[in-house]
Amino acid sequence: MSHTMGYKVALSFEDGVTRFVTANPGETVADASYKARINIPLDCRDGACGTCKAFCESGSYDGGDYIEEALTDDEAEAGFCLPCQMVPETDLVLRIAGTAEMAKSGIGAFTARIDHLHWYADNTAGLTLTLENRQDLHFLPGQYMNVKVPGTEEERSYSFSSGPDQDQLAFLVRTAPDGVMTTYLKERASEGDTLELEGPIGSFFLRDVKRPVLMLAGGTGIAPQLAMLEKIAQAAESGAQPAFPIHMAYGVTWDKDLVEVDALGRYAERIEGFTFDTIVADPASEHPKKGYVTQHLAPGHLNDGDVDVYLCGPPAMVDAVRKHFDGEGITPSNFYYERFAVGVPHERALHPAGAA
Ligand SMILES: Cc1cc2nc3c(=O)[nH]c(=O)nc-3n(C[C@H](O)[C@H](O)[C@H](O)COP(=O)(O)OP(=O)(O)OC[C@H]3O[C@@H](n4cnc5c(N)ncnc54)[C@H](O)[C@@H]3O)c2cc1C
Ligand code: FES
């Protein structure tokens, strides 16, 4: 194909579907997909969030501008790329993190009412919302929404802790000193308030359980994994118990950060082969398991690498776990992770999800 006609980009989705888009000279893969009405996973469109991360199977491209948090040098070296930034220099084949089904639905804008605001301790809030047009929101367990902070122009991302088939939506919010959402929740929020949300977004979501699963959660990083467990539990109750064991290691800093441990106990009853450990880092804690999640993994949990790992938590924890795996020479069959970045680059607020 001649340069002036643009390059053909094959988008290969996880469910085996392949769609083709044409990128004009200088055009990003995300823009070409948008024109073709294919919603590949996107959030910031700015090379900041990493949500669009894909894998290039063949072809060459200019990777564009992005920050290390979105794509590390190692990842870029290995062939990972950011469709919101990359400009093709030849025809390309990209593996997209998502299903073609999901790419059809796209990001929507929603309005919700706060039904319940619950403080587990002074630093973690549980929000339960009733969404208008609930039937129009289809999400995958593990995905997130961008929530506009009432009374401000800011938005913050929160992963569903409720399952995709539950009527109400639930979220867990860890507070940050003087944070915008934190201040709203602590000082102004009340039950009955209206929230505006956009989504669903994200390529961190539960795949079919085809081998043992290891879930690693740090702090409110437990939220998307609760959504995944709910989905697995509902499938189990309709007769499809997972064929492989699922283990979770849930680590927090302080005793008071441990939330929804009762819910994990109930999942252990509903899901055959589901086990979990809770771990507290605070040296002064009397919790039976202390330190970091990586110190409490048995060889069986890693299964010589034949394991699908789901990792979610604050960026420092996510990076530490990835380094630990590299250091131990463990390469899981699949490694999915989400970093709960706080104090995100300012640009992100200027390019809300779904903006064309
Ligand atoms: C994909 C994704 C999913 C997420 N899901 C969840 C979730 O399910 N649960 C959850 O608890 N969190 C989640 N987060 C994090 C969440 O979006 C918020 O970042 C977090 O709740 C803090 O928001 P805030 O408005 O209270 O604080 P912010 O206003 O964002 O401030 C965060 C911290 O940064 C400091 N700060 C802000 N601006 C500056 C600056 N210019 N210089 C120095 N310091 C600064 C603040 O003082 C504060 O301590 C997720 C993040 C991402 C990216
Ligand atoms: S890095 Fe591409 S959408 Fe955020």
Side-chain angles (χ1 to χ4, degrees):
M1 184 177 288
S2 93
H3 175 74
T4 50
M5 289 176 63
Y7 297 111
K8 223 158 72 178
V9 181
L11 305 171
S12 138
F13 291 93
E14 288 181 356
D15 45 1
V17 176
T18 302
R19 303 278 309 270
F20 290 90
V21 301
T22 304
N24 292 323
E27 192 174 45
T28 66
V29 170
D31 287 341
S33 306
Y34 179 79
K35 275 193 325 206
R37 301 189 180 285
I38 299 173
N39 298 293
I40 58 173
L42 288 174
D43 187 0
C44 71
R45 294 166 181 260
D46 212 31
C49 72
T51 289
C52 65
K53 192 172 357 181
F55 183 76
C56 184
E57 306 262 8
S58 76
S60 59
Y61 51 91
D62 174 346
D65 289 331
Y66 52 83
I67 59 173
E68 174 85 12
E69 282 71 26
L71 190 71
T72 66
D73 291 345
D74 287 352
E75 287 173 322
E77 185 76 11
F80 288 94
C81 51
L82 298 174
C84 75
Q85 295 300 303
M86 69 192 294
V87 173
E89 290 172 339
T90 64
D91 289 352
L92 298 179
V93 179
L94 297 187
R95 220 192 298 145
I96 302 295
T99 60
E101 193 58 40
M102 155 187 159
K104 263 189 267 170
S105 56
I107 292 171
F110 296 88
T111 302
R113 190 186 66 229
I114 300 182
D115 280 332
H116 195 52
L117 169 59
H118 166 79
W119 289 97
Y120 292 87
D122 55 356
N123 65 351
T124 309
L127 272 179
T128 312
L129 310 181
T130 294
L131 198 71
E132 280 176 18
N133 306 326
R134 174 68 184 85
Q135 68 286 354
D136 295 339
L137 175 67
H138 304 280
F139 67 91
L140 298 167
Q143 287 190 298
Y144 65 95
M145 297 291 275
N146 283 339
V147 182
K148 188 154 171 279
V149 184
T152 77
E153 289 304 311
E154 303 281 323
E155 50 177 37
R156 295 291 182 268
S157 309
Y158 296 98
S159 310
F160 297 96
S161 61
S162 49
D165 299 319
Q166 292 179 301
D167 286 343
Q168 284 187 314
L169 307 181
F171 299 93
L172 292 173
V173 182
R174 170 69 194 250
T175 60
D178 302 321
V180 174
M181 181 62 93
T182 299
T183 306
Y184 164 71
L185 289 175
K186 290 233 158 177
E187 296 176 5
R188 306 196 302 277
S190 53
E191 291 170 1
D193 281 8
T194 297
L195 294 181
E196 286 169 42
L197 308 87
E198 282 186 323
I201 314 166
S203 45
F204 180 73
F205 57 83
L206 178 71
R207 274 67 174 184
D208 291 342
V209 178
K210 291 184 183 153
R211 56 179 64 79
V213 170
L214 178 61
M215 296 180 166
L216 302 174
T220 46
I222 190 77
Q225 311 205 349
L226 289 169
M228 294 178 184
L229 289 170
E230 180 60 31
K231 175 84 186 176
I232 295 167
Q234 288 190 353
E237 278 155 5
S238 43
Q241 284 286 356
F244 299 92
I246 299 172
H247 180 73
M248 171 185 282
Y250 169 29
V252 298
T253 307
W254 313 106
D255 291 308
K256 67 177 179 181
D257 301 342
L258 281 175
V259 301
E260 297 292 341
V261 177
D262 294 350
L264 293 177
R266 288 192 295 275
Y267 287 127
E269 284 165 18
R270 293 169 68 189
I271 303 168
E272 273 171 24
F274 172 63
T275 53
F276 68 96
D277 284 326
T278 56
I279 298 129
V280 177
D282 174 17
S285 164
E286 298 195 345
H287 199 77
K289 294 203 161 90
K290 302 270 289 284
Y292 297 110
V293 291
T294 45
Q295 294 169 279
H296 296 275
L297 295 179
H301 298 145
L302 295 165
N303 201 31
D304 288 328
D306 183 20
V307 62
D308 286 344
V309 176
Y310 293 87
L311 164 63
C312 183
M317 181 253 186
V318 170
D319 294 341
V321 172
R322 292 176 58 212
K323 282 210 185 77
H324 173 83
F325 277 32
D326 286 348
E328 301 280 304
I330 300 158
T331 311
S333 304
N334 290 290
F335 199 157
Y336 307 106
Y337 64 88
E338 183 88 279
R339 285 197 193 91
F340 281 1
V342 302
V344 285
H346 180 61
E347 292 87 319
R348 201 138 157 232
L350 301 176
H351 298 283

